[in-house]
Amino acid sequence: MIMHILNHAALKQMLLDGEYAPSSLQQEGFIHCSTTDQVLGVANSLYKGKRDLLLMLIDDTKVESQIVYEDLYELGKLFPHIYGPLNLDAIIQTLEFAPDAEGNFQLPAGVLQ
């Protein structure tokens, strides 16, 4: 399983389009994703305190576009990137992803780390 952070507007657009193709796909050529071990670090560094977020759980075995694990930013970690639109049947679940009172994120209940 891999994960992706998005907002409610992106979810609405995805449902209208029948696939997920965020702006990063056009701008960078891929959809940024994280493993379960990486997602909290990403959330707490890029989205600290931000509301209106969702956590998308993705079955990487059902993704039709190519997934490449790579370290594009020299962080010493390989992050999964989806090189193409995400087919909706690969999405396991989309969960509310709100920070706590200090602005930090925790994995929602039921998501195994």
Side-chain angles (χ1 to χ4, degrees):
M1 177 176 66
I2 58 176
M3 300 179 178
H4 176 76
I5 301 168
L6 69 159
N7 61 30
H8 285 86
L11 175 65
K12 184 177 178 181
Q13 189 63 51
M14 173 182 74
L15 296 174
L16 289 172
D17 294 344
E19 66 181 11
Y20 184 59
S23 60
S24 70
L25 185 56
Q26 286 75 41
Q27 295 167 354
E28 301 177 62
F30 59 87
I31 301 169
H32 291 268
C33 293
S34 302
T35 65
T36 306
D37 292 336
Q38 297 166 332
V39 73
L40 291 179
V42 170
N44 288 317
S45 66
L46 298 178
Y47 301 105
K48 186 174 177 103
K50 186 166 172 56
R51 305 252 172 228
D52 189 43
L53 295 178
L54 300 161
L55 183 61
M56 182 188 300
L57 311 181
I58 303 166
D59 181 343
D60 55 336
T61 65
K62 292 184 178 179
V63 174
E64 294 173 0
S65 296
Q66 182 181 19
I67 300 173
V68 179
Y69 284 78
E70 52 197 345
D71 183 3
L72 297 178
Y73 306 106
E74 298 182 18
L75 299 173
K77 296 179 182 175
L78 298 176
F79 285 85
H81 298 132
I82 301 173
Y83 279 85
L86 175 62
N87 48 300
L88 299 187
D89 63 332
I91 300 170
I92 299 167
Q93 193 173 14
T94 303
L95 304 166
E96 292 293 328
F97 196 43
D100 62 20
E102 289 79 38
N104 296 306
F105 290 90
Q106 301 297 323
L107 285 178
V111 177
L112 302 176
Q113 187 167 18

